[in-house]
Amino acid sequence: GEGPCSPCPPNSRTTSGAAMVCTCRNGFFRADTDPADSACTSVPSAPRTVISNVNETSLVLEWSEPQDT
């Protein structure tokens, strides 16, 4: 196309030179609403320090943010 080429966004690749779209690497994803030039991401790691509090009528879970978001 017109204009200079750009490298693929993080965690994506192309199988040919001068490709219009870079696809996500295995294990990485891009939402349907994300632009084609946005980085691909993976699922976060598990939450840390999960605590459950149970009473007669409910269960409340608390946790720390995952190490890898």
Side-chain angles (χ1 to χ4, degrees):
E2 295 182 24
C5 290
S6 300
C8 286
N11 304 314
S12 67
R13 64 175 176 219
T14 183
T15 56
S16 64
M20 298 295 290
V21 176
C22 298
T23 57
C24 293
R25 295 182 180 275
N26 291 339
F28 292 88
F29 309 92
R30 189 181 290 131
D32 292 338
T33 57
D34 288 345
D37 60 351
S38 66
C40 298
T41 58
S42 66
V43 296
S45 60
R48 299 178 294 145
T49 320
V50 177
I51 300 170
S52 61
N53 296 310
V54 180
N55 67 25
E56 293 178 13
T57 60
S58 64
L59 166 68
V60 176
L61 294 174
E62 298 178 23
W63 61 86
S64 296
E65 183 174 308
Q67 183 146 358
D68 182 14
T69 57

